[in-house]
Amino acid sequence: METLLLWLFYISTLYAFIPGLISRMFGFRVFRRGKGEHEFALTFDDGPDPVYTPQLLDLLKKYNAKATFFVVGSNAEKNPDIIKRMYDEGHLIGIHNYVHKTNWLMRPGTVRKQILRTDKIIHDITGFNTHYYRPPWGIVNLFDFSRKNDIQIVLWSSMFGDWRFRLGADSLARRMMKKLAPGEVFLLHDCGSTLGANMEAPVNMMMALERVLQAAEEQGLRSIRIDEMIAQSGGARVNSGSLYRTQSAGTMKLSWIKKGIVFLWLLWEKIFHFVFQLQTTNKEDPVFHFRTRTYHGNPVDMRDGSRLEKGDKVLELHFDNKKLYEIGSTSKSSVQLAIQMIRAVEKTLPELAQYIIKHPELGEIKALYGVSMINRGPEQFGFTVSDLPQGLFAKSSTAYLKLLMSVIHPAGQQRLKRHSEQLVPKLIVMPMNLLLNRFAVNGSHRQITEPASEPSEPALEATISY
């Protein structure tokens, strides 16, 4: 069941989460912030509203401010006079889908139809097509990126929660004032009829906006349209290139692809830990996370002569992904990476032994258990290393861990090419008695009696969070 859930997660990640995170965090193929000395941008979503949008247009006209309206097609269809007034008064009109529905829940063809239908409505009213698009909630999917030549996706740099009426005009104005600066793209709403919004919220928004426009006037700032901001910012540039970019001699700068993978990886870890309630011995500087579960694999003969069998209770270990990435990204070689990881494990095993002693409910645990890309190293701590049984779990684990290896290893891509046959998931187990006998004495890890040879490859290279 867990493997099925993981595959569903991978598919949804490719279609929705990765594109959303990459666009939101790294600005890939979207415009979200401009450049300028005296200009900022006001953008309004979800309208037009027959009550509030005309009042907003009056306010903008009073301060000679230009804005961009990302309209919902069905609302535009019902209020053509307001759309015509927006256009006649010099504002830019963009698309916010025909209905306010997230792109994550629609097929690519459905999203395209939503965009084309809304564009046709705008064209029928104004005589002009629009090339600017903001998906509802700013959520893009994989295929939105393929429309780069057709439309410009526009997000924002500042969001204020103005769709909630209880926020109040005073609090909203303070939030907006803090962000009032050249290049900022404000996200506001001139309609409160969408899911999660309050119908009367635009009242507070306009009260707060007037104060902001007054302050902008005093500071010599003016609101311009998104197309003008894009033009003066040199256009919405597309980030491209390899996974690595040379920053200076001897150092490497992460590209947006690698940053996106790392961000998603760490986000997945948080979700996994929350769902399965994983624990750790050191919340400030965790190395291992763990949970109790029942072992369902093949029998494994362990170092103390005992056997781990199906139905036994195990403490499943997960190496902290953030720690793993920090060690991998700062290591200059495989040997240095291995040494740092071994030191981290040496530090944590005594903590884990003391934790188990202090929690009697863990007394039924027979062994520590984990899945990892391993060549050598863990045996010196008392782990038994064995092959993972062939199957879907092993294949998916291999693909996942090879991807992570290419990200966190200092020579990831080269290592994958040179040692691909060695990079297979391994099962590691340690009997609980061995852990307590070796590491629980005064919390010391000096109980290790077997010699530890210097590793030539990383120990515990990438522990999978399953």
Side-chain angles (χ1 to χ4, degrees), residues 50 52 56 62 66 85 103 123 130 138 146 152 165 192 207 224 239 267 272 353 369 414 422 429 456 458:
Y52 299 117
L56 175 59
K62 176 180 176 181
K66 301 304 177 185
R85 181 182 171 186
N103 288 8
H123 180 272
T130 183
S146 67
Q152 171 64 62
F165 181 78
M207 292 174 61
I224 61 175
N239 297 321
L267 177 63
F272 184 90
Y369 161 90
Q414 291 81 1
Q422 299 177 12
V429 295
S456 60

Side-chain angles (χ1 to χ4, degrees), residues 60-77:
L60 295 173
K61 187 174 183 179
K62 176 180 176 181
Y63 289 91
N64 195 29
K66 301 304 177 185
T68 303
F69 290 85
F70 291 98
V71 301
V72 174
S74 57
N75 290 340
E77 201 169 36

Side-chain angles (χ1 to χ4, degrees), residues 19-317:
L21 291 172
I22 289 174
S23 64
R24 199 68 75 82
M25 297 299 297
F26 311 114
F28 177 66
R29 289 199 171 182
V30 302
F31 183 83
R32 57 178 184 165
R33 189 186 187 94
K35 295 180 180 179
E37 296 182 359
H38 307 287
E39 297 81 22
F40 69 106
L42 293 172
T43 67
F44 300 92
D45 288 5
D46 300 354
D49 182 275
V51 175
Y52 299 117
T53 305
Q55 297 176 32
L56 175 59
L57 290 170
D58 291 340
L59 178 61
L60 295 173
K61 187 174 183 179
K62 176 180 176 181
Y63 289 91
N64 195 29
K66 301 304 177 185
T68 303
F69 290 85
F70 291 98
V71 301
V72 174
S74 57
N75 290 340
E77 201 169 36
K78 298 173 186 174
N79 300 281
D81 292 343
I82 300 177
I83 297 295
K84 185 66 165 59
R85 181 182 171 186
M86 289 177 185
Y87 179 78
D88 289 343
E89 294 185 358
H91 302 291
L92 180 65
I93 303 173
I95 299 168
H96 202 46
N97 282 356
Y98 181 78
V99 295
H100 198 279
K101 185 177 181 180
T102 174
N103 288 8
W104 286 3
L105 301 179
M106 293 188 289
R107 297 191 301 268
T110 303
V111 175
R112 180 172 178 79
K113 289 178 182 178
Q114 293 256 333
I115 293 173
L116 292 176
R117 185 175 182 182
T118 304
D119 183 42
K120 184 178 185 302
I121 292 169
I122 295 170
H123 180 272
D124 289 345
I125 297 171
T126 66
F128 288 88
N129 295 104
T130 183
H131 301 285
Y132 300 91
Y133 174 60
R134 175 176 287 163
W137 294 290
I139 296 174
V140 299
N141 63 44
L142 180 64
F143 296 94
D144 288 331
F145 287 158
S146 67
R147 302 188 181 93
K148 177 63 180 176
N149 295 327
D150 300 324
I151 59 173
Q152 171 64 62
I153 299 175
V154 179
L155 297 184
W156 58 84
S157 61
S158 299
M159 178 172 61
F160 310 102
D162 66 302
W163 59 87
R164 299 190 298 267
F165 181 78
R166 62 189 176 98
L167 179 62
D170 293 338
S171 296
L172 181 57
R174 285 193 296 270
R175 292 185 180 185
M176 294 169 67
M177 292 289 192
K178 290 180 180 179
K179 292 292 185 178
L180 183 60
E184 289 289 336
V185 177
F186 281 21
L187 168 63
L188 298 167
H189 301 79
D190 58 321
C191 180
S193 62
T194 54
L195 180 65
N198 302 126
M199 290 295 294
E200 300 83 10
V203 173
N204 290 332
M205 184 275 293
M206 286 186 286
M207 292 174 61
L209 179 59
E210 180 155 23
R211 300 178 198 176
V212 171
L213 290 173
Q214 290 173 351
E217 201 172 64
E218 294 169 359
Q219 297 174 30
L221 298 174
R222 65 188 184 96
S223 174
I224 61 175
R225 299 165 23 146
I226 280 294
D227 56 346
E228 296 175 303
M229 179 166 283
I230 291 175
Q232 74 174 25
S233 301
R237 293 180 294 277
V238 179
N239 297 321
S240 61
S242 65
L243 287 177
Y244 296 93
R245 300 177 192 276
T246 301
Q247 186 174 29
S248 60
T251 63
M252 302 300 289
K253 183 179 180 180
L254 297 182
S255 72
W256 64 266
I257 297 177
K258 191 167 183 179
K259 287 181 180 179
I261 294 172
V262 171
F263 183 88
L264 179 67
W265 182 34
L266 298 180
L267 177 63
W268 165 237
E269 179 183 53
K270 290 183 179 180
I271 296 172
F272 184 90
H273 289 183
F274 175 78
V275 172
F276 293 102
Q277 296 297 300
L278 267 65
Q279 304 296 317
T280 184
T281 59
N282 188 339
K283 293 183 179 181
E284 298 299 323
D285 185 26
V287 174
F288 282 132
H289 301 270
F290 49 85
R291 63 168 174 160
T292 302
R293 64 176 301 184
T294 302
Y295 180 68
H296 296 288
N298 297 328
V300 178
D301 292 325
M302 297 186 288
R303 297 285 287 274
D304 66 345
S306 63
R307 170 174 283 199
L308 179 65
E309 297 183 349
K310 186 176 181 180
D312 289 336
K313 293 293 184 180
V314 294
L315 200 68
E316 184 181 70
L317 300 179

Side-chain angles (χ1 to χ4, degrees), residues 374-391:
I374 292 180
N375 286 317
R376 56 182 65 89
E379 294 95 336
Q380 65 179 285
F381 298 109
F383 285 101
T384 297
V385 180
S386 59
D387 292 333
L388 197 65
Q390 294 298 313

Side-chain angles (χ1 to χ4, degrees), residues 292-406:
T292 302
R293 64 176 301 184
T294 302
Y295 180 68
H296 296 288
N298 297 328
V300 178
D301 292 325
M302 297 186 288
R303 297 285 287 274
D304 66 345
S306 63
R307 170 174 283 199
L308 179 65
E309 297 183 349
K310 186 176 181 180
D312 289 336
K313 293 293 184 180
V314 294
L315 200 68
E316 184 181 70
L317 300 179
H318 300 266
F319 207 97
D320 183 80
N321 286 344
K322 185 176 180 181
K323 172 70 71 175
L324 183 62
Y325 176 67
E326 289 174 351
I327 292 175
S329 61
T330 57
S331 298
K332 296 181 180 179
S333 67
S334 295
V335 173
Q336 186 179 8
L337 172 60
I339 292 172
Q340 289 193 58
M341 296 191 74
I342 287 175
R343 287 175 178 171
V345 174
E346 283 182 329
K347 170 180 175 292
T348 300
L349 287 178
E351 294 178 357
L352 184 59
Q354 293 294 327
Y355 182 94
I356 292 171
I357 291 174
K358 295 176 181 178
H359 291 78
E361 69 275 12
L362 299 178
E364 62 179 343
I365 301 298
K366 190 170 185 178
L368 303 181
Y369 161 90
V371 177
S372 177
M373 290 282 204
I374 292 180
N375 286 317
R376 56 182 65 89
E379 294 95 336
Q380 65 179 285
F381 298 109
F383 285 101
T384 297
V385 180
S386 59
D387 292 333
L388 197 65
Q390 294 298 313
L392 179 61
F393 179 78
K395 290 179 180 179
S396 61
S397 299
T398 301
Y400 174 70
L401 290 173
K402 283 186 176 181
L403 173 65
L404 297 186
M405 177 65 67
S406 69

